Amino acid sequence: MSDANETLDYDIDRELGSGTKTKTVKRLIHYAVQFKLQLVLALLMLSVAVGTDLAGPLIAKRIIDLHISGIEKPWFETQNKNDYAVSFEGKQYKRDDHFEQGETRGNEVRVLQIDREYYFIAEPIAFDGERKVTDNTIQITKGSESKSYSGEQLDRQQLYSFFRPEMAGMLKLCWYYMGLTLISAIFTYGQRYFLQSSANRIIRRMRTDVFAQLNRLPIRYFDNLPAGKVVSRVTNDTESIRDLYVNVLANFTTGFIHMLGIYIALFILDVRLAAICLFVVPALIVWIIVYGRMAKKFNRIIRSTVSEINGIINESIQGMTIIKAFRKEKRVEANFEEVNNKLFHVQNKLLSLNSWTGYNLVAVIRNVALVALIWYFGGASLNGASGAVTLGVLYAFVDYLNRLFQPMVNIVNQLPNLERALVSAERVFALVDEEGEDVSEQKEKRYQGHVRFDQVWFSYKNGEPVLKGITFEAKPGQTVALVGHTGSGKSSILNLLFRFYDPEAGSITIDGKETRQMPRQTMRQHMGIVLQDPFLFSGTIATNVSLNDPSITRERIHKVLTDVGAESLLEQLPQGIDEPVIEKGSTLSAGQRQLISFARALAFDPAILILDEATSNIDTETETVIQQALDVVKQGRTTFVIAHRLSTVKNADLILVLDRGEIVERGDHHALMNLGGKYRQMYELQQGKLVPSQ
C-alpha cells in the first residue's frame, strides 16, 4: 500500500470526523422515508405487539389481587346459595364484592394468611398489620396497637372451598393471557418481517446509488484511491448501515415503545412506584451520548483499517504473479499482519469499552432499583401497613421493572452497531458527495472525425505539467501516430481526447465542437479504444465484444472478429463466440485477449479509433494479423496510434514526436527520416543501425 494512498485515506477520514452526526442521520432518515409505508406498518404492528405483551402483568395483577389475595376480603353470612356461596361448618358465606345491591348480609368473618397457612376468624378484625399465631390465637399488631382473635386453621379441602368461586374467573383471565401472547407473537413476527424487508429495500437503493455514483466519478478519483477501499464502501459499509435499519432501528424503536408503554402501565398501577424509576430515562440518554463520543473514534479507525485491509488483499491478488516471482510472500504477509494487528488492538479497545458499558452496568442499576423498591414498599405490603401497595401491584411492578431494563439492555447492546453504522454512513455519503457527472442518454450523430488540439496544457499534479502547449490537427480518415520516450505525454493526449481528464488550458475540438461542451458519454458514443493491457469481463466472447448491447447482433460479432483476423481463435474454441470467459480472460492468451479487444472497439463502428500501444504485448504473428486487419478497419475513421515500435506506424499520415510534454517533430515517416532528428535517431536505434550513446 503506497504512502500516498494511506495519506489520502487518512485525509478522507479526517474530513469525516469534522462532519456532524446530525447531517448523516438526516440522510439516513431520507432513505428510510422512501419506504415509509412499510416502516409505518411495521411500527403499527410493533405497537400492537408491545401493547398485548404489556397487558400480561396487568392480568397477573388482577389474578393475584382479585382471585388469590381477594380471599382476605371480608366475608358475610348469606341465605342465597349460588356459585359464589361457600359452605363452612353448616353456614353459607359469600365474599363482600360478590354481594348484589340490596342483598342481605349476615355476620362478618375473615380468612387470613399467616406464613403459609390460612385461618378462619368468625368475627371482623379492627385493623390489619403484622400477624402472628400461637395455638390458634391470632395476634395482629399495628404500631403500638395489638388485638387478639380466636382462629381455626383451614385444611386443604376447606381452603379450596373458599377459592373455588374464583377458579372460573382465574381460568378466564388465563385464556385472555394466552390469547394476548399469541397476538403479540403474530404481530412481533409481522413487524420484524416488514422492518427487515424495508431495510433490505433501503440498502438496495443505497447500493444502487453508490454504484451509480462510481460511474459518475472522474478517472482522477480512482487514480488516488485503491480499488479495495472503494469496494469496502460499496459492500462492507453499506452492510453496516443495513444493520442500523434491521437491528439498531428495531431494538431502539421496540425499546422506546416498550419503555413508554411500561411507564404508562407503572403510573396506572401506582404513581409513587413509577416515580422511583424515572431516573432510568435521563440515565439512558446520558449513557448513549457518552458512549457515542467514546466509541466514534474507535469505529472510525476500525472502518478505515478494514478498508485498508481490503485494499491490501485486492492489490495482493492482482499482483500475485509478481509477488511469487520475486519471492515476496513473507513481505506481503508482514505488511498485512501489521495492518491486521492495528485492527485487532483497536477492536480490543472498543470491546473493553463495550464491556464496561454493556449488560453488567444495566444489571447493577436494575438490581439497585429492585432492592430499593422491595425494601421501601415490600415490607409494608406484606405487613399490611397503611398506604402500602397490594401484592398484585407489587408483583406487576416487579415484572414491569424487569421488562423495563430488558429493552434498555437491548438498546445499550446496539450502541456499538449504531456508532459503527453512523461511521459507515459518513464514509458512504462522502463517496456519494464526491463531485461527479451524470450519465447522459443524449445521442449525437456520427462524427466526421476532425480532431484539433489548440495550445493544450495538462498536469496530473499541480505545478507538474505533462503536456505543454500541444497543438495539432487530425483530419477525417487520417491515422495519427504518437511516438516518444516513456513519460513524454503520449497517453496523456489520448486520455484528454477520450475525456478521462480535462485540460487545464487550451481547447480540444471534434468537428469544430469543444469537447467540454458535450457530456462525456455522448462524446464517447462514436469513439473506440484498445488499450495495451486489454480487460475482459466475466461472460462469453460474444458478451465481451458486444458488452451486452442489444443493437449489436451475433452476425455483427462474427463480422468484427473476422475483420480483425480472429478466425483461428474461434476455430480453437469448442463453443466459438459462446466460449466462457472468466475474470480478466486469464484462460486466454495475450494475443487472443487483444483480438477480442480490437473486435469490441470495431463492433461499435467508431468514427475515432484510439490504439494505446495495442500491439506491444502480442507476438509477431498476431501483430502481423492485426496490422493487416487495421489497414481495413482504419478506412472511414480517424485513428490515433501510440506505438513504441516505430515500424508499426511507418504508414501513418501524421507522426507526432513528443519529448517531455512537447511536440518536437511532426510529419510523415519519410519527412521525419529526411529531417534527421529525434525520430530518425529512435528509428535507426530500433533497427540496429545506430549504437546508443553510453
Side-chain angles (χ1 to χ4, degrees), residues 637-652:
R637 54 177 56 91
T638 305
T639 306
F640 290 85
V641 181
I642 292 179
H644 283 296
R645 283 183 279 188
L646 302 185
S647 59
T648 63
V649 296
K650 290 171 57 177
N651 297 327

Side-chain angles (χ1 to χ4, degrees), residues 212-233:
Q213 171 68 359
L214 293 181
N215 289 327
R216 297 178 66 252
L217 294 174
I219 295 295
R220 189 186 296 272
Y221 180 86
F222 300 100
D223 289 341
N224 298 321
L225 195 63
K229 294 188 176 183
V230 177
V231 171
S232 181
R233 301 280 177 96

